[in-house]
Amino acid sequence: DIQMTQSPSSLSASVGDRVTITCQASQDISNYLNWYQQKPGNAPKLLIYDTSHLETGVPSRFSGSGSGTDFTFTISSLQPEDVATYFCQHSDNLPPWTFGQGTKVEI
Amino acid sequence: QVQLVESGGGVVQPGRSLRLSCAASGFTFSSYALHWVRQAPGKGLEWVAAMSYDGINKYYADSVKGRFTMSRDFSKKTLFLQMNSLRPEDTAVYYCAREKIIATLKGRFDSWGQGTLVTVSS
């Protein structure tokens, strides 16, 4: 199974800061990497799929990059409503489709 | 709009069974693969099971293989997860989720229900 290692596990930043989260896959997953946002008490929400494609309606301050085994998720200017836990997840080929451990973003 | 509504969670003793349901609306039910994803209290996300749009192909995580069975009723637009031989480590919020792209099974979850809590405890 492919393991996803996400870091950091938590971070605290100020409004307007640039925030970066990394995700590393245990093997090459091409660009099959997705990012989800989960706010407390809510279901996860797909923000980015296939490394860099924003879901409809997702603000452009969110972005993703990478390929192979190393990926990055960026919030260009952190907003109060971005407080959440963010998860990476691979969607390479067949299951199991594993998630990273999550990054809790606070202000 | 796409809506997924889970039900059937509750408190159950170890070794017993439970069946979860997920009622779908707002999209063509027979055209999309569906998944179950769970989240233990305070923990991360774990993909549990998937079923192709036509119900033919099913996949399970090793942690539930042989104990959980996924099915879907096309006439009622409802997804099910039959959970047998439940263990304390199965305690989690169970979400159903829709595959993002029609007629594919790629592990991209673009719509989620609100989840239903399953607690396995004596």
Side-chain angles (χ1 to χ4, degrees):
Chain A
D1 297 354
I2 298 172
Q3 307 304 316
M4 306 302 295
T5 303
Q6 192 176 334
S7 63
S9 57
S10 66
L11 65 89
S12 181
S14 300
V15 172
D17 282 356
R18 184 180 185 87
V19 168
T20 298
I21 299 169
T22 63
C23 185
Q24 185 170 61
S26 60
Q27 63 189 67
D28 190 336
I29 58 170
S30 185
N31 69 329
Y32 298 120
L33 192 283
N34 311 307
W35 292 95
Y36 298 83
Q37 175 193 65
Q38 186 177 33
K39 296 184 178 181
N42 287 355
K45 173 186 175 183
L46 178 64
L47 295 183
I48 293 173
Y49 65 97
D50 293 353
T51 298
S52 60
H53 294 86
L54 255 60
E55 271 289 270
T56 302
V58 173
S60 59
R61 64 179 180 274
F62 296 99
S63 64
S65 63
S67 67
T69 60
D70 295 301
F71 301 87
T72 301
F73 171 83
T74 301
I75 307 173
S76 61
S77 177
L78 187 66
Q79 300 301 304
E81 60 267 30
D82 300 336
V83 168
T85 300
Y86 294 85
F87 295 92
C88 64
Q89 175 242 343
H90 87 81
S91 53
D92 180 54
N93 204 10
L94 291 174
W97 293 296
T98 49
F99 292 83
Q101 308 94 309
T103 297
K104 187 174 184 179
V105 174
E106 298 176 315
I107 291 180
Chain B
Q1 72 281 17
V2 175
Q3 194 166 14
L4 299 166
V5 180
E6 303 93 337
S7 60
V11 180
V12 61
Q13 293 180 327
R16 304 298 290 263
S17 299
L18 205 60
R19 188 175 84 152
L20 305 183
S21 301
C22 173
S25 60
F27 65 100
T28 304
F29 182 78
S30 59
S31 295
Y32 288 86
L34 294 167
H35 303 262
W36 289 99
V37 178
R38 69 183 179 183
Q39 186 170 35
K43 302 297 184 181
L45 298 165
E46 179 187 16
W47 171 82
V48 173
M51 175 177 282
S52 59
Y53 70 99
D54 55 6
I56 293 175
N57 297 304
K58 303 178 192 180
Y59 301 93
Y60 299 94
D62 286 347
S63 57
V64 306
K65 200 172 292 182
R67 301 187 298 122
F68 289 14
T69 303
M70 195 171 172
S71 61
R72 60 198 291 173
D73 185 326
F74 290 95
S75 65
K76 295 182 179 178
K77 299 181 183 179
T78 302
L79 180 71
F80 301 101
L81 185 67
Q82 178 66 41
M83 306 185 295
N84 298 332
S85 303
L86 282 161
R87 305 167 179 168
E89 55 265 36
D90 295 320
T91 294
V93 173
Y94 285 73
Y95 296 100
C96 65
R98 192 188 77 164
E99 180 68 46
K100 175 175 171 59
I101 297 177
I102 193 169
T104 66
L105 188 56
K106 295 282 191 182
R108 302 184 190 98
F109 317 123
D110 76 332
S111 299
W112 298 64
Q114 85 289 349
T116 187
L117 176 62
V118 173
T119 303
V120 184
S121 173
S122 54

